[in-house]
Amino acid sequence: MPVKVAEEFLVHVKVLDDQHAQLFDLIDRLNTAIVSGKGPQIVEKTLAELCDYAHVHFEEEEGLMKKAGYAALSAHRVAHRDFIAKIEGWMKEAAAGRKQTLTGEIAAFLNDWLRKHIRIADQQYVGILHAKGIK
Ligand SMILES: [Fe+2]
């Protein structure tokens, strides 16, 4: 069951809010694993899951922004691509064995990036999507 997402992160477009909840859930699971000392054991699996899910989510989000004629789509798309590139870089590092220090770094980045991105960048498309009847 998806985690409850705080009001400030909601975009009030059901499919996107559900996907954001899945991303928050993934971060929560990573944080829990780190606290219990299991971060390095799950880091590769978490990154692979995150990479897959980020592709699915960004594609959906960008599709809706395009459909709505959102003017800042290309800049938003760049932010998404940079995020994917960061995750792919970490996947290579994890595969090369740098798991111990990597988990904390990833959790810190995700906690910060994802919350900021959803609370600030994603909120900017809400008005136009709603105006086009996308909810
Ligand atoms: Fe986004």
Side-chain angles (χ1 to χ4, degrees):
M1 190 166 130
V3 293
K4 176 121 179 63
V5 176
E7 177 65 32
E8 63 182 319
F9 299 109
L10 292 176
V11 295
H12 300 286
V13 174
K14 179 142 186 4
V15 64
L16 301 180
D17 283 332
D18 288 349
Q19 291 177 346
H20 286 154
Q22 296 283 347
L23 289 167
F24 281 124
D25 179 58
L26 195 141
I27 296 176
D28 276 2
R29 282 188 279 129
L30 180 63
N31 288 337
T32 304
I34 289 171
V35 169
S36 59
K38 292 189 176 125
Q41 288 169 40
I42 64 136
V43 68
E44 277 186 281
K45 186 176 167 286
T46 304
L47 285 170
E49 202 180 324
L50 181 64
C51 193
D52 285 350
Y53 204 71
H55 274 106
V56 169
H57 169 59
F58 292 160
E59 201 173 302
E60 179 81 44
E61 199 176 72
E62 288 168 18
L64 292 177
M65 285 190 271
K66 192 170 178 211
K67 194 172 160 193
Y70 180 54
L73 171 60
S74 47
H76 201 119
R77 196 175 258 151
V78 169
H80 286 169
R81 294 297 161 270
D82 287 351
F83 179 82
I84 298 275
K86 184 117 187 148
I87 302 303
E88 286 174 346
W90 277 329
M91 287 169 87
K92 283 186 194 135
E93 287 190 53
R98 197 175 80 83
K99 294 180 191 172
Q100 195 65 43
T101 50
L102 204 56
T103 49
E105 200 180 306
I106 294 167
F109 174 82
L110 291 180
N111 283 322
D112 183 60
W113 190 93
L114 208 63
R115 281 177 170 77
K116 251 191 219 151
H117 181 80
I118 296 172
R119 194 166 45 78
I120 300 167
D122 285 354
Q123 291 301 326
Q124 290 168 5
Y125 64 61
V126 171
I128 182 97
L129 262 61
H130 287 184
K132 301 283 177 176
I134 301 167
K135 286 179 185 172

